[in-house]
């Protein structure tokens, strides 16, 4: 079966702009979790979506938001970009989320803010 | 929140050597996974192992949930094993949280 697809792979944006990243989970998986990876902070949990509802959110400002569609595809949006938002953004697909079962990650979107 | 500590932070080996990576966690978990991050950033799932022992080729893992630790064993290491190894855990009904990783370098 197809894996987890994240688009785009690379993105360069200017400070103050906004950006939208996409994640298509494995077919049949209903949970999508998002993570931010930076050299200084490591892998940090952003939020988790299940059946179009955000169930859990990490400690990030309101500029970070997301949504999930009826086909389980998820998008995350970052508004008013700051230099510190430069990071690798990873999404994970799982059947039911909330730490249950195996998580499978996409290849990530590498965002550079200049 | 739950604390996840991985050791050692860095490990340099000669090709063919064996190694053990450790993951300690501060609370009960119902999920534990080991990942290998390749040079392009993708997290490759090695083991889903909330308890017990599993083996996959040269890799094996053991989780002792009651003592809150997990071990990843790599035998006869190869240069392609280089990269960062992450342990991720999830307390009951909560999302996965990651350790800081162990950076493994295998020299030819």
């Amino acid at each position: 079966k197809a894996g987890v697809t994240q688009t785009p792979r690379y993105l360069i944006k200017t400070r103050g702009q906004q950006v939208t990243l996409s994640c298509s989970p494995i077919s049949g998986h209903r949970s999508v979790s998002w993570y931010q990876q930076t050299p200084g902070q490591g892998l940090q949990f952003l939020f988790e979506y299940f059946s179009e509802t955000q169930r859990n959110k990490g400690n990030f400002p309101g500029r970070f938001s997301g949504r999930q569609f009826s086909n389980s595809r998820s998008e995350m949006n970052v508004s008013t970009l700051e230099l510190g938002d430069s990071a690798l953004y990873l999404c994970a697909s799982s059947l039911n989320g909330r730490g249950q079962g195996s998580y499978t990650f996409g290849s990530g979107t590498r965002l550079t803010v200049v | 929140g739950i604390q996840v500590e991985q050791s050692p932070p860095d490990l340099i080996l000669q090709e063919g050597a064996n190694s053990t990576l450790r993951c300690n966690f501060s609370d009960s978990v119902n999920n534990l996974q080991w990942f290998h991050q390749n040079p392009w950033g993708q997290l490759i799932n090695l083991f889903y192992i909330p308890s017990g022992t599993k083996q996959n080729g040269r890799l094996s893992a053991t989780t002792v949930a009651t003592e809150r630790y997990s071990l990843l064993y790599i035998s006869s290491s190869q240069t392609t094993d280089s990269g960062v190894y992450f342990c991720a855990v999830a307390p009951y009904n909560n999302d996965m949280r990651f350790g800081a990783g162990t950076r493994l370098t295998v020299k030819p």
Side-chain angles (χ1 to χ4, degrees):
Chain A
K1 53 186 175 181
V4 182
T5 303
Q6 287 190 249
T7 57
R9 289 296 308 276
Y10 302 92
L11 210 45
I12 300 175
K13 289 287 189 179
T14 303
R15 214 166 22 168
Q17 287 186 313
Q18 74 164 18
V19 67
T20 299
L21 312 181
S22 177
C23 174
S24 293
I26 291 170
S27 178
H29 284 192
R30 296 190 294 169
S31 170
V32 174
S33 300
W34 288 90
Y35 292 81
Q36 181 198 62
Q37 185 177 26
T38 59
Q41 299 298 318
L43 276 150
Q44 293 189 287
F45 171 73
L46 278 158
F47 29 63
E48 187 243 353
Y49 284 88
F50 178 86
S51 291
E52 302 179 63
T53 301
Q54 185 183 93
R55 289 199 300 193
N56 200 3
K57 186 171 165 53
N59 189 23
F60 279 83
R63 300 185 297 106
F64 291 82
S65 63
R67 59 178 175 169
Q68 187 179 34
F69 302 94
S70 58
N71 63 356
S72 295
R73 188 178 72 86
S74 177
E75 290 181 346
M76 68 162 282
N77 184 77
V78 189
S79 63
T80 319
L81 283 165
E82 301 177 359
L83 295 179
D85 297 332
S86 295
L88 178 65
Y89 290 88
L90 292 159
C91 79
S93 164
S94 63
L95 268 171
N96 295 309
R98 286 280 177 96
Q100 300 170 55
S102 182
Y103 280 44
T104 302
F105 280 81
S107 300
T109 294
R110 194 168 294 278
L111 172 65
T112 302
V113 182
V114 297
Chain B
I2 193 168
Q3 303 298 311
V4 186
E5 294 181 359
Q6 291 188 242
S7 59
D10 292 279
L11 189 56
I12 301 174
L13 299 173
Q14 210 64 38
E15 200 168 27
N18 302 327
S19 60
T20 300
L21 282 58
R22 187 176 180 102
C23 172
N24 293 333
F25 42 96
S26 62
D27 205 349
S28 301
V29 299
N30 72 333
N31 191 345
L32 189 146
Q33 287 186 249
W34 283 97
F35 296 92
H36 176 213
Q37 189 164 41
N38 66 22
W40 298 273
Q42 185 169 10
L43 288 168
I44 308 298
N45 190 357
L46 297 176
F47 293 103
Y48 166 69
I49 187 165
S51 64
T53 298
K54 291 186 178 180
Q55 179 156 8
N56 184 5
R58 298 181 295 104
L59 272 60
S60 63
T62 295
T63 297
V64 184
T66 52
E67 296 187 21
R68 300 182 184 170
Y69 73 89
S70 182
L71 302 173
L72 177 69
Y73 305 96
I74 305 174
S75 64
S76 305
S77 57
Q78 302 174 357
T79 55
T80 51
D81 294 331
S82 295
V84 184
Y85 289 80
F86 288 100
C87 166
V89 303
Y92 178 72
N93 219 28
N94 213 322
D95 287 277
M96 301 287 281
R97 306 300 166 121
F98 283 78
T102 292
R103 182 174 298 277
L104 174 65
T105 303
V106 181
K107 296 189 172 182

